[in-house]
Amino acid sequence: MSLSKEQIAQRIAKEVKDGYYVNLGIGIPTLVANFVRDDISVEFQSENGVLGMGPFPFEGEEDADVINAGKQTITTLPGASFFDSALSFSMIRGQHVDLTILGAMEVAENGDIANWKIPGKMVKGMGGAMDLVASAENIIVAMMHTNKAGQSKLLKTCSLPLTGVGCVKKVVTNLAVLEIQDGSFVLLERAPGVSVEDIKAATEGNLKVPAEVPEMKF
Amino acid sequence: MINKTVGSAERALEGVADGMTLMLGGFGLCGIPENSIAQLVSMGVKDLTCISNNAGVDDFGLGLLLQNKQIKKMISSYVGENDEFERQMLSGELEVDLIPQGSLAERCRAAQAGVPAFFTPAGYGTEVGEGKESREFNGKMHILEHAFKADFAFVKAWKGDEAGNLIFKGAARNFNPVMCGAATITVAEVEELVPAGELDPNAIHIPGIFVQRIYRGEHYEKRIEQRTVRKKV
């Protein structure tokens, strides 16, 4: 069975370690916050200038001056801070943020990522994505393994305009957990009930399959 | 104390003319200079180049200037929430320069700090880096980005004093502090304007030296773009 978006988020949450500062992108990455173990200390950074983001406010307690990068009303947790956009990207560019989780349209076997522009369609902009992928040491991409037309999103080379080059280290999809090493996707884990053959068929880029590929545990 | 108060939006925006380059603070609709934008609309100045992270929504923020066709060019990182923007961009009426958010912030800060240019890894190997000087530092490629040049910066703060000192609130801080002093003239509008001496010098986010004109804004709407809440259990 391939994973739901919530299950992808749940698997990625296992990569979030005690003491991490984490930046979550929009979409599946946002869901990761719901699955982080409550016995570890983690702070979420939002690039519009918030560290220590909490859950959405209760109805009637929204504050127009307290939003996240998706422009949603949020709350802050004890220990939180606000800061300007330049300082926010000092945290990101200066590699003070430990883990970045973001979505993608395509990832290539050399770690290139495309997630901001489809030629011929309305271009909304890259926001902070290019700064994040260019600087972060530890980037996990959360995405579906194939697009709506059934084509692989794990490619030999990206066909869409790039967001960053050679920057992705790990990809978690609805089918698998993969690590990018020396120009290949290395298959680390399978979604429960998904075979290595299924994953091979859905991966266009070079796939290395170790002798043992365990099923994911949650 | 050098008094920076000007009394009204009309006086604060004196000298803004057609064809100028403006910086406007805010992230989405959070922390935008609502009163200065309203004054730009009523002045009707056109052919403006606007440096702002976003472009407002159809009927608020910079969307009001777009409706009036006052903007020639937008320099932003993300512009998705605006139908009129899309129409003008696709028809070629509006020029758009999309740049990474961190580079946008740092190009403002560089202008504020008198740094003409800087190297950043953001955008290397992408179309953002095309035609730009690139260089390797510590085994990693970077591209050269330049400080912005602007005629006016319009920022919005929570509290300010007569000397132009500013304090921001929450995530409404965003691009506002880095635009202060990054243009020839910085105009700050504040929710609360107090006499010099009333704000604790330890609490000032932006010293008055970066601000030329300050006034108290009126009727802050503070519209919320994405109202997200959870239910009380």
Side-chain angles (χ1 to χ4, degrees), chain A:
Chain A
M1 273 294 288
S2 89
L3 303 184
S4 66
K5 289 179 176 176
E6 281 74 17
Q7 288 171 310
I8 296 174
Q10 195 177 353
R11 173 60 191 81
I12 291 175
K14 284 182 65 183
E15 307 288 322
V16 179
K17 308 281 189 258
D18 189 34
Y20 269 16
Y21 294 102
V22 182
N23 181 291
L24 300 178
I26 292 164
I28 300 173
T30 306
L31 301 172
V32 172
N34 302 332
F35 297 104
V36 174
R37 280 164 40 193
D38 52 16
D39 60 339
I40 64 172
S41 303
V42 173
E43 284 193 25
F44 291 104
Q45 197 251 19
S46 191
E47 62 261 27
N48 59 316
V50 190
L51 189 61
M53 256 194 302
F56 296 141
F58 289 119
E59 226 168 323
E61 293 175 7
E62 315 89 284
D63 182 346
D65 291 332
V66 184
I67 64 166
N68 63 17
K71 287 115 184 172
Q72 296 170 309
T73 45
I74 53 156
T75 59
T76 54
L77 295 172
S81 56
F82 296 113
F83 37 85
D84 67 60
S85 300
L87 197 60
S88 178
F89 282 91
S90 297
M91 295 176 191
I92 291 164
R93 210 186 297 105
Q95 300 184 342
H96 307 286
V97 173
D98 300 290
L99 175 63
T100 292
I101 303 168
L102 76 176
M105 299 173 193
E106 296 177 347
V107 175
E109 62 194 26
N110 65 352
D112 288 358
I113 177 172
N115 73 351
W116 77 284
K117 182 175 183 178
I118 301 174
K121 288 202 176 170
M122 170 64 188
V123 182
K124 293 188 167 189
M126 67 291 282
M130 284 194 183
D131 309 272
L132 281 160
V133 300
S135 299
E137 282 287 296
N138 196 3
I139 299 175
I140 300 178
V141 167
M143 66 177 191
M144 305 309 275
H145 210 98
T146 55
N147 64 21
K148 281 177 185 147
Q151 296 156 324
S152 181
K153 294 170 74 173
L154 287 80
L155 305 173
K156 291 196 175 304
T157 52
C158 291
S159 64
L160 295 169
L162 294 180
T163 308
V165 292
C167 47
V168 176
K169 305 285 190 317
K170 200 169 235 184
V171 184
V172 179
T173 75
N174 53 324
L175 303 183
V177 178
L178 310 107
E179 212 164 69
I180 293 179
Q181 283 174 20
D182 308 322
S184 295
F185 295 104
V186 179
L187 182 56
L188 298 183
E189 297 173 25
R190 302 171 287 123
V194 171
S195 71
V196 169
E197 290 311 307
D198 294 334
I199 295 163
K200 271 186 183 163
T203 307
E204 189 225 81
N206 189 31
L207 185 71
K208 276 192 183 158
V209 184
E212 284 275 314
V213 183
E215 277 193 2
M216 289 179 205
K217 291 197 171 55
F218 291 93

Side-chain angles (χ1 to χ4, degrees), chain B residues 138-193:
Chain B
N138 306 320
K140 189 168 174 170
M141 292 307 293
H142 294 73
I143 57 173
L144 187 67
E145 293 281 8
H146 291 263
F148 283 123
K149 281 196 171 71
D151 299 294
F152 276 83
F154 297 107
V155 304
K156 189 259 165 186
W158 178 37
K159 292 179 182 174
D161 68 13
E162 293 167 319
N165 294 308
L166 302 177
I167 297 175
F168 302 88
K169 178 172 164 267
R173 193 181 311 193
N174 56 61
F175 283 83
N176 287 298
V178 292
M179 289 179 174
C180 290
T184 308
I185 295 177
T186 297
V187 174
E189 60 176 275
V190 296
E191 290 176 55
E192 234 181 283
L193 183 60

Side-chain angles (χ1 to χ4, degrees), chain B residues 73-230:
Chain B
K73 182 178 181 181
M74 277 302 307
I75 300 176
S76 304
S77 85
Y78 191 83
V79 291
E81 327 295 341
N82 192 324
D83 289 340
E84 178 62 17
F85 185 100
E86 184 169 349
R87 194 198 63 70
Q88 289 185 20
M89 180 170 147
L90 294 176
S91 71
E93 290 164 62
L94 179 68
E95 223 182 303
V96 180
D97 192 1
L98 291 169
I99 51 183
Q101 195 177 128
S103 299
L104 183 76
E106 198 63 16
R107 288 175 69 182
C108 294
R109 208 194 69 85
Q112 175 191 62
V115 172
F118 58 91
F119 281 98
T120 176
Y124 174 77
T126 76
E127 58 189 61
V128 166
E130 282 170 20
K132 288 177 184 158
E133 189 181 333
S134 62
R135 201 162 143 184
E136 189 183 315
F137 294 95
N138 306 320
K140 189 168 174 170
M141 292 307 293
H142 294 73
I143 57 173
L144 187 67
E145 293 281 8
H146 291 263
F148 283 123
K149 281 196 171 71
D151 299 294
F152 276 83
F154 297 107
V155 304
K156 189 259 165 186
W158 178 37
K159 292 179 182 174
D161 68 13
E162 293 167 319
N165 294 308
L166 302 177
I167 297 175
F168 302 88
K169 178 172 164 267
R173 193 181 311 193
N174 56 61
F175 283 83
N176 287 298
V178 292
M179 289 179 174
C180 290
T184 308
I185 295 177
T186 297
V187 174
E189 60 176 275
V190 296
E191 290 176 55
E192 234 181 283
L193 183 60
V194 301
E198 279 199 19
L199 299 178
D200 177 358
N202 290 300
I204 304 294
H205 293 138
I206 284 291
I209 192 169
F210 293 114
V211 175
Q212 279 67 47
R213 305 174 187 175
I214 189 167
Y215 70 101
R216 189 175 70 83
E218 286 169 352
H219 312 298
Y220 280 103
E221 193 175 329
K222 293 199 184 182
R223 205 184 286 188
I224 292 174
E225 230 167 302
Q226 305 283 341
R227 187 179 300 275
T228 43
V229 293
R230 66 193 149 125

